[in-house]
Amino acid sequence: MKIKKIAVLTSGGDSPGMNTALRAVVRTCAYNKIKCAGVYRGFEGLINNEIKELETRSVRGIINRGGTMLYSARSEAFRSKSGRKKAYENVIKNNIDAIVVIGGDGSFTGGMIFEKEFNIPIVGIPGTIDNDLYGTSHTLGYDTAINTVMEAIDKIRDTAISHDRLFFVEVMGRDAGHIALNSGIAIGAQDILIPESEVGLDDLIVSLRRSKKLGKTSNIVVVAEGDKTGKSVFELSKKVKERFPDYEIKVSVLGHMQRGGSPSCFDRVLGTKMGVIAVESLLAGKSSKMVGIINGKIELTPLMSAIKGTSKINTELIRVSKIMNI
Ligand code: F6P
């Protein structure tokens, strides 16, 4: 089948660079003289027929903007067969031949089911700050997020030093420690707690004691949202306080500010390349694939592997962090 119109949507948690990729998809369609439709609010918008044609000029001025011009949603309705059927009716109504899904693993799972049920070609662009997809060393938005986190913790460090305080800083990463590990190295964290490697409360206490002995008067511990050392970062800080009653301990949860902001140069280049390849792949008859970057080269990975495989953390960074804390 000759593709004449490609739809693009952003889905799940937004990430800096989604707009950049969207712009690249729209312009690559125009370059190839095919139509492009923007679907608003992810799969929810596909069900509700929130679809608008986009042209080259529709995406001007967004390359540097965080968030997503198309809005995003986590669609409950798309999980049901009846929801997907409604979405398919709108695919037909709008003459859509293929879809580019910009999102994370949940969005790709939905896209894959949809492709299988209705035979509509899908290509995914990994847009998530978590960097938790197999088949790409960097997801779109991850680089911006770690720089945002680094800048925020640098500021926390200033006040931590002034007051001789220990800070637990929670960063995003529901199931993955990439953000915590990389930002933790960049800010010189005393300890980095991530779901992939259990430090445990006792080892953390040993490390903090040693740091006190070495004369450190303040400290930063970076904790990934998905880490299980405590039930929450607040409970963890309480437990540590019991062991260090004289140490003033504060908790800072960075939260959603990590997902916003203007994309970094890296994410803008990555998003642009991914958008171009996503459209070119569909035009070349390739589907059910995720566009990723491996060793600096754009590669396609089956969507199924991207979701099922794990994006391993760089264990060398754990070793490096330990050496830094001598
Ligand atoms: O998947 C990206 C992510 O930012 C996670 O790190 C975080 O746990 C989650 O989204 C938060 O989702 P929501 O914006 O729905 O609260």
Side-chain angles (χ1 to χ4, degrees):
M1 185 203 45
K2 196 170 172 331
I3 290 180
K4 294 196 207 91
K5 190 177 195 179
I6 290 179
V8 55
L9 57 85
T10 50
S11 166
D14 62 352
S15 72
M18 277 186 163
N19 274 330
T20 315
L22 162 67
R23 170 181 178 270
V25 168
V26 172
R27 295 206 169 159
T28 310
C29 284
Y31 184 81
N32 285 283
K33 302 200 168 31
I34 61 163
K35 287 190 171 162
C36 187
V39 181
Y40 288 75
R41 297 182 174 80
F43 292 116
E44 200 69 12
L46 205 55
I47 294 171
N48 298 329
N49 202 22
E50 283 190 79
I51 302 168
K52 220 168 84 184
E53 283 203 11
L54 299 174
E55 308 154 1
T56 308
R57 296 275 78 76
S58 318
V59 288
R60 72 177 152 211
I62 63 166
I63 193 167
N64 56 336
R65 303 240 313 265
T68 159
M69 185 192 112
L70 289 179
Y71 302 91
S72 192
R74 300 190 198 273
S75 176
E76 261 313 307
F78 199 72
R79 288 177 193 268
S80 70
K81 180 114 196 207
S82 59
R84 292 193 296 274
K85 192 165 163 285
K86 259 179 137 183
Y88 182 64
E89 283 160 14
N90 289 324
V91 164
I92 298 296
K93 206 190 276 175
N94 290 277
N95 300 313
I96 294 166
D97 300 316
I99 305 176
V100 175
V101 174
I102 310 174
D105 55 352
S107 313
F108 290 170
T109 305
M112 245 173 48
I113 297 171
F114 195 56
E115 170 161 23
K116 220 169 159 198
E117 275 175 350
F118 299 104
N119 198 24
I120 171 102
I122 305 260
V123 162
I125 293 179
T128 165
I129 64 164
D130 289 356
N131 207 35
D132 58 349
L133 286 161
Y134 175 81
T136 190
S137 62
H138 290 73
T139 55
L140 190 54
Y142 168 63
D143 181 70
T144 308
I146 52 178
N147 279 290
T148 300
V149 169
M150 181 185 75
E151 283 169 24
I153 305 183
D154 279 349
K155 289 177 179 145
I156 291 172
R157 177 182 289 286
D158 289 345
T159 174
I161 292 172
S162 306
H163 290 268
D164 290 338
R165 283 172 175 164
L166 163 62
F167 266 85
F168 284 94
V169 183
E170 186 193 272
V171 301
M172 274 188 171
R174 208 174 5 206
D175 309 304
H178 296 282
I179 297 177
L181 189 53
N182 281 273
S183 64
I185 298 270
I187 63 95
Q190 174 64 28
D191 286 283
I192 304 167
L193 307 181
I194 56 175
E196 295 89 341
S197 109
E198 268 192 31
V199 171
L201 185 63
D202 291 339
D203 284 1
L204 176 64
I205 299 291
V206 169
S207 162
L208 292 172
R209 282 232 161 88
R210 197 169 52 85
S211 116
K212 275 247 165 208
K213 248 196 205 149
L214 290 170
K216 289 197 200 174
T217 53
S218 70
N219 263 315
I220 309 272
V221 176
V222 178
V223 186
E225 195 185 355
D227 179 72
K228 298 280 179 285
T229 312
K231 278 202 193 91
S232 72
V233 68
F234 294 99
E235 198 216 57
L236 174 66
S237 82
K238 245 178 160 179
K239 283 192 173 156
V240 172
K241 179 76 181 168
E242 283 162 16
R243 313 279 272 271
F244 292 91
D246 298 334
Y247 210 167
E248 222 190 313
I249 303 179
K250 296 278 176 186
V251 172
S252 196
V253 177
L254 296 190
H256 286 77
M257 58 90 76
Q258 296 165 86
R259 285 225 305 247
S262 179
S264 65
C265 178
F266 180 88
D267 277 330
R268 292 185 202 188
V269 176
L270 183 64
T272 304
K273 287 205 284 194
M274 285 178 164
V276 169
I277 301 297
V279 171
E280 287 179 350
S281 302
L282 285 169
L283 294 180
K286 294 175 198 158
S287 73
S288 215
K289 302 271 190 283
M290 181 193 82
V291 184
I293 181 165
I294 302 170
N295 295 328
K297 250 187 86 199
I298 295 285
E299 305 270 4
L300 296 180
T301 298
L303 274 180
M304 181 65 99
S305 318
I307 298 162
K308 296 274 179 247
T310 40
S311 65
K312 294 212 166 61
I313 51 144
N314 184 352
T315 47
E316 172 65 359
L317 289 183
I318 298 179
R319 192 180 77 83
V320 163
S321 166
K322 281 195 182 126
I323 294 173
M324 287 304 102
N325 290 334
I326 186 73

